[in-house]
Amino acid sequence: MNRLISFIAVILLTLSAASAQESKLVYLLPLDDEIGSTTWQHTRRALDEADRAGADIILVHLNTYGGSVLHADSIRTALLHYPKPVIAFVDNNAASAGALIALACDSVYMRTDATMGAVTVVNGSDGSAAPDKYQSYMRAMMRATAESHGKDSLGRWRRDPLIAEAMVDPRVSVPGLIDSTRVLTFTAGEACKWHYADGTAESIDEALNRAGVEEFRIKRFEPTWVDSLMGFFTNPAIQGILIMLIIGGIYFELQTPGMGFPSVVAIMAAVLYFLPMYLTGIASSWLILIFLIGLLLLLLELFVIPGFGIAGIAGIVCIAASILIGLIENFSFEPGRIDTSVVSQALITFVAAVAAAAGVIVFLSSRFAPKGIGIRSELTLCQDIDKGYIGVDTSLASLVGKRATALTDMRPGGKVDVDGNTYDAVSTIGFVESGTGLTVCKFENAQLYVR
């Protein structure tokens, strides 16, 4: 009897072990907010955690109305190049940037009432369509993403690139689907019919079952406040402000004596600029080293090397290069591939920040700056009368060497006549009687001296 029980226990343990071995680890990444720097930061860390955990499948839980094209492209690229299967579950919405992310996944499952599409690039200020230059790039991005899924055994595209373009441009017509007057948005049924979705599902579990995953364990990505903070400081708008503060702080510190508030602003902005990128792996430590070398060269130029030459120029180049390259993520320069959208966005952010810094510097250095906020350098300070400074007329210096006649007794001060004009003067030889011939010998401290 004991042997029978032991035998059954061994069988059960074996079956349990086999079942555990067949169970797939699914890493769940929720993207249910506006697509931006924070969601990109979450995606990066989620994929890294999935690798460390040995996940078999990535499941992207989508419910978004879109967001930044730049960060959507970064997420798209990361998912396209991920070595394990990636499944998208569209829970209600995959609009605009969300549709691009869904298209990058290996398979897509949608709720029956979900929608996907409307990828036209719009202006963030008023929601109007951006110029065709941007639409052209977005069409190519959608088309390339669709083509990356390849063709089936009959030579047909798994994801028709023309349909991907129709989601961006209302001028694109797909026979039997949409004419050339509307931007394409799919319902779940339409997406399945035109092979942009692999099926419908009402839950994550059902989506996995439809994908052929029967036994699975789900590990969910849990963002921390640090992730959100890092996402905030890697936002292009915030990075532009930090760059402006770095440039402005350095400029005003160079224009004022000692080390004061401008240097504190520049240092804090530099820390908030480089530290999040270093911690998230966007930028390497050598960029920080280049920035510090640039600062050191500027200090050497100011306090050790006279004039402004090679050291100062090299310092400015190092600082500018480290800031600009910091905006370009490491993965954008993988062998054989340069992400031009990331590079162009970095250039736009950098140029805009430099222009803003120049504007702020000009305003704060001008007389129009509000009191208490304006910053004056030693080179631009004015000795205004209302501050106690007195202007001195130096035209009397031209009288030095001319003949003069004492009009009054000089004891030793008095009045003298020079070329028919009367002036106050001081005798350098003591008392002088009126009528004595004199010579103007010097002009000093706004005073004529005669002898």
Side-chain angles (χ1 to χ4, degrees):
M1 187 67 178
N2 290 335
R3 289 182 179 180
L4 179 60
I5 294 174
S6 300
F7 180 72
I8 294 174
V10 170
I11 291 176
L12 291 175
L13 288 174
T14 303
L15 292 174
S16 176
S19 175
Q21 289 177 356
E22 293 176 359
S23 177
K24 301 288 186 181
L25 176 58
V26 177
Y27 197 94
L28 177 61
L29 169 61
L31 295 180
D32 52 4
D33 202 349
E34 181 179 353
I35 303 301
S37 56
T38 300
T39 49
W40 169 223
Q41 167 63 18
H42 291 172
T43 302
R44 289 173 59 88
R45 194 165 75 82
L47 295 181
D48 288 340
E49 283 189 2
D51 283 337
R52 290 194 297 269
D56 301 293
I57 297 170
I58 299 293
L59 191 142
V60 182
H61 188 181
L62 275 170
N63 187 10
T64 178
Y65 289 103
S68 164
V69 174
L70 170 67
H71 296 100
D73 182 32
S74 298
I75 296 173
R76 171 199 81 111
T77 304
L79 296 179
L80 278 176
H81 291 84
Y82 193 74
K84 301 292 181 64
V86 180
I87 300 173
F89 173 55
V90 180
D91 189 357
N92 292 334
N93 299 297
S96 191
L100 175 63
I101 294 171
L103 184 57
C105 298
D106 298 310
S107 54
V108 179
Y109 295 90
M110 302 173 64
R111 280 188 183 273
T112 53
D113 57 349
T115 54
M116 176 174 65
V119 195
T120 303
V121 183
V122 298
N123 295 317
S125 56
D126 56 7
S128 61
D132 191 62
K133 173 183 177 180
Y134 301 96
Q135 309 301 345
S136 174
Y137 192 85
M138 194 66 184
R139 286 196 302 269
M141 190 187 303
M142 288 289 288
R143 185 171 63 249
T145 307
E147 290 177 355
S148 69
H149 294 288
K151 298 181 178 181
D152 59 20
S153 57
L154 300 177
R156 298 174 300 187
W157 290 109
R158 288 193 61 218
R159 303 280 192 259
D160 188 344
L162 186 63
I163 293 177
E165 288 193 63
M167 290 185 178
V168 180
D169 195 335
R171 295 171 299 180
V172 177
S173 175
V174 180
L177 176 60
I178 193 169
D179 59 25
S180 59
T181 61
R182 296 174 296 161
V183 174
L184 175 61
T185 299
F186 273 136
T187 64
E190 291 170 337
C192 292
K193 177 182 177 181
W194 291 90
H195 309 293
Y196 262 63
D198 298 274
T200 58
E202 300 305 315
S203 66
I204 291 173
D205 290 359
E206 186 179 349
L208 288 169
N209 291 334
R210 290 291 180 88
V213 184
E214 298 295 337
E215 299 293 332
F216 55 84
R217 295 167 290 127
I218 293 179
K219 179 177 176 59
R220 183 184 179 89
F221 171 74
E222 297 294 343
T224 65
W225 67 270
V226 176
D227 296 313
S228 299
L229 189 64
M230 295 300 175
F232 174 78
F233 281 112
T234 53
N235 184 293
I238 301 302
Q239 288 179 319
I241 294 174
L242 293 175
I243 293 172
M244 182 184 69
L245 293 176
I246 292 172
I247 295 173
I250 292 176
Y251 173 82
F252 284 117
E253 188 58 41
L254 296 178
Q255 300 298 319
T256 55
M259 184 173 179
F261 180 71
S263 61
V264 174
V265 171
I267 291 172
M268 291 299 298
V271 170
L272 293 176
Y273 178 78
F274 284 107
L275 185 60
M277 292 191 295
Y278 176 74
L279 294 177
T280 56
I282 295 175
S284 303
S285 56
W286 60 268
L287 278 180
I288 302 175
L289 181 61
I290 290 178
F291 181 81
L292 295 176
I293 291 174
L295 285 180
L296 179 61
L297 289 172
L298 276 183
L299 292 176
L300 288 174
E301 185 72 36
L302 290 172
F303 300 111
V304 179
I305 305 173
F308 190 81
I310 295 177
I313 294 173
I316 292 174
V317 170
C318 287
I319 291 174
S322 62
I323 291 174
L324 176 58
I325 298 174
L327 293 170
I328 305 173
E329 302 177 3
N330 288 333
F331 80 92
S332 300
F333 292 107
E334 292 178 357
R337 183 178 67 88
I338 297 179
D339 195 329
T340 55
S341 65
V342 175
V343 176
S344 60
Q345 180 66 37
L347 288 172
I348 292 171
T349 301
F350 181 76
V351 171
V354 172
V360 171
I361 288 171
V362 171
F363 176 72
L364 293 182
S365 300
S366 70
R367 60 188 180 89
F368 299 105
K371 290 184 178 180
I373 299 179
I375 300 176
R376 303 287 189 271
S377 71
E378 294 299 310
L379 300 178
T380 59
L381 285 176
C382 295
Q383 297 179 337
D384 298 324
I385 295 176
D386 58 0
K387 296 180 181 178
Y389 296 99
I390 299 175
V392 176
D393 182 9
T394 59
S395 63
L396 297 180
S398 63
L399 301 178
V400 175
K402 291 190 174 185
R403 298 292 297 173
T405 302
L407 296 178
T408 63
D409 292 336
M410 306 190 71
R411 304 178 180 177
K415 294 186 179 297
V416 299
D417 176 273
V418 181
D419 294 338
N421 296 314
T422 302
Y423 300 96
D424 290 321
V426 176
S427 171
T428 61
I429 57 176
F431 294 95
V432 176
E433 293 181 359
S434 65
T436 303
L438 304 166
T439 300
V440 180
C441 59
K442 65 178 179 178
F443 175 74
E444 189 176 272
N445 296 327
Q447 179 68 60
L448 283 178
Y449 291 86
V450 293
R451 58 191 168 100

